[in-house]
Amino acid sequence: MALSAPELSLVSDNSEQLQQDFGRKVLEVNGLTKAYQQGKMVLDGISFELRAGEFVAVVGRSGAGKSTLLHTLNGTIPATGGNILNVHRDQSTDDVLMMSRKELREWRTHCGMIFQDFCLVPRLDVISNVLLGRLSHTSTLKSLLKVFSDKDKAQAIQLLKWLNMLPYALQRAENLSGGQQQRVAICRAMMQNPKILLADEPVASLDPKNTVRIMEALQKVSSDGVAVMVNLHSIELVQEYCTRVIGLAKGQVIYDGHPSGLNDQVLHRLYGDEIDQIS
Ligand SMILES: Nc1ncnc2c1ncn2[C@@H]1O[C@H](COP(=O)(O)OP(=O)(O)O)[C@@H](O)[C@H]1O
Ligand SMILES: [Mg+2]
């Protein structure tokens, strides 16, 4: 898919590099399988590539394997077979399935994930929560003492400003609305300077206004050169924001392409009788 680099210059430490990388292959998945119980494939031979700057939705009915897919990509759930290749700039690759614990920790900084329940530290203020995204780059002792470099602090402030959250920087995370917490979670993930950002149903618990804010925020992240992949329920949102959609049914890819290609026939294959419940 041809992608053109945007004129935005944004927040990441490595934003210049990300812009140069626009359209570059960052991940290759081949014949990925996952069985929680022997013989019961939840992911059944999934293959696709991810490119920098794409905004990819994963859709499919409940139980199709969407959450399992995202978690296997960032290594929080071990896959059973196939491979997940981290593609470097020089085209060399590392397989996530073969990584040691230490290598997986490192991989998760490049392949960030935001969770449905945000996972913020409730009593900590917003800016500290964002700075915690630097944890993997900072020694544990320094992190505990909240010793962050001026550069890190500047980046945290810039990120909060970028998602219109700077006025809340000193408020405790627990005092924010769901949509505000989700934006803080995105800022924290971006503090890792990831090249891939995964989000499992990031708007599932949000009202329409906050849904728009989060979808716009994720769109901004992708137009900054990050490959963004999100599980979504709403086809309307997919059509409005995403550059590509992967449709899963029973652990297999049955559609991979532009959202405009999601016609009635494809939707019926994806959702079957549940088709009336989606919008
Ligand atoms: N930890 C687990 N142990 C056993 N089965 C699981 C586990 N997590 C998910 N599953 C099963 O895997 C299938 C896919 O689940 P999931 O990836 O959560 O689908 P989705 O996110 O599309 O709803 C479902 O049948 C679910 O019951
Ligand atoms: Mg799920």
Side-chain angles (χ1 to χ4, degrees):
M1 192 176 301
L3 293 167
S4 55
E7 287 165 18
L8 293 163
S9 70
L10 279 177
V11 285
S12 303
D13 225 10
N14 56 344
S15 62
E16 208 171 296
Q17 186 66 59
L18 282 170
Q19 298 277 315
Q20 282 172 20
D21 282 351
F22 224 83
R24 174 177 90 76
K25 181 162 74 172
V26 290
L27 192 81
E28 185 181 320
V29 177
N30 297 304
L32 185 68
T33 58
K34 172 67 185 177
Y36 290 102
Q37 295 148 14
Q38 219 178 0
K40 205 170 163 243
M41 288 293 186
V42 169
L43 299 180
D44 191 6
I46 296 213
S47 302
F48 64 90
E49 295 175 357
L50 267 189
R51 293 181 182 275
E54 284 189 298
F55 189 2
V56 184
V58 181
V59 301
R61 64 162 80 187
S62 179
K66 304 180 297 295
S67 297
T68 303
L69 175 63
L70 289 201
H71 284 91
T72 53
L73 295 185
N74 101 328
T76 40
I77 292 179
T80 307
N83 57 44
I84 300 168
L85 303 178
N86 173 20
V87 183
H88 300 282
R89 249 174 228 113
D90 63 2
Q91 307 285 320
S92 65
T93 58
D94 289 320
D95 188 352
V96 175
L97 272 70
M98 310 293 277
M99 286 180 185
S100 65
R101 274 185 183 205
K102 185 163 171 274
E103 287 167 334
L104 272 178
R105 267 202 301 278
E106 163 91 16
W107 167 239
R108 284 187 203 120
T109 66
H110 300 303
C111 182
M113 184 139 182
I114 49 177
F115 299 91
Q116 204 177 324
D117 55 358
F118 322 123
C119 293
L120 300 177
V121 183
R123 285 167 176 268
L124 212 53
D125 60 35
V126 162
I127 189 137
S128 302
N129 267 287
V130 174
L131 281 162
L132 286 179
R134 267 333 258 180
L135 261 182
S136 52
H137 298 258
T138 318
S139 81
T140 315
L141 183 63
K142 275 190 177 172
S143 305
L144 284 174
L145 296 173
K146 293 210 249 171
V147 180
F148 293 99
S149 71
D150 287 346
K151 195 172 156 221
D152 287 348
K153 287 181 201 159
Q155 190 187 351
I157 288 169
Q158 207 183 348
L159 276 162
L160 287 169
K161 204 167 154 190
W162 182 55
L163 291 188
N164 299 321
M165 285 302 291
L166 195 54
Y168 304 92
L170 299 178
Q171 286 199 21
R172 282 185 183 188
E174 64 190 355
N175 293 333
L176 303 180
S177 73
Q180 291 168 335
Q181 290 193 34
Q182 186 67 291
R183 275 185 279 164
V184 175
I186 294 175
C187 292
R188 184 186 51 187
M190 289 301 287
M191 264 319 271
Q192 297 177 201
N193 298 314
K195 65 173 186 172
I196 300 168
L197 184 64
L198 308 172
D200 196 5
E201 312 234 359
V203 297
S205 55
L206 302 183
D207 59 39
K209 198 169 148 201
N210 278 306
T211 295
V212 168
R213 286 211 175 110
I214 294 306
M215 291 306 290
E216 285 177 354
L218 292 168
Q219 196 173 40
K220 272 186 182 181
V221 170
S222 72
S223 61
D224 208 24
V226 176
V228 178
M229 193 171 199
V230 294
N231 290 345
L232 286 176
H233 263 121
S234 157
I235 296 299
E236 222 171 80
L237 290 179
V238 174
Q239 308 268 22
E240 189 166 350
Y241 292 97
C242 298
T243 60
R244 178 178 159 203
V245 55
I246 293 179
L248 284 190
K250 294 184 183 160
Q252 296 186 344
V253 175
I254 64 158
Y255 182 85
D256 184 355
H258 194 267
S260 58
L262 284 179
N263 56 30
D264 287 351
Q265 199 188 350
V266 178
L267 288 173
H268 202 268
R269 281 189 71 201
L270 280 172
Y271 292 102
D273 298 337
E274 287 174 21
I275 205 153
D276 296 335
Q277 293 164 34
I278 54 158
S279 57

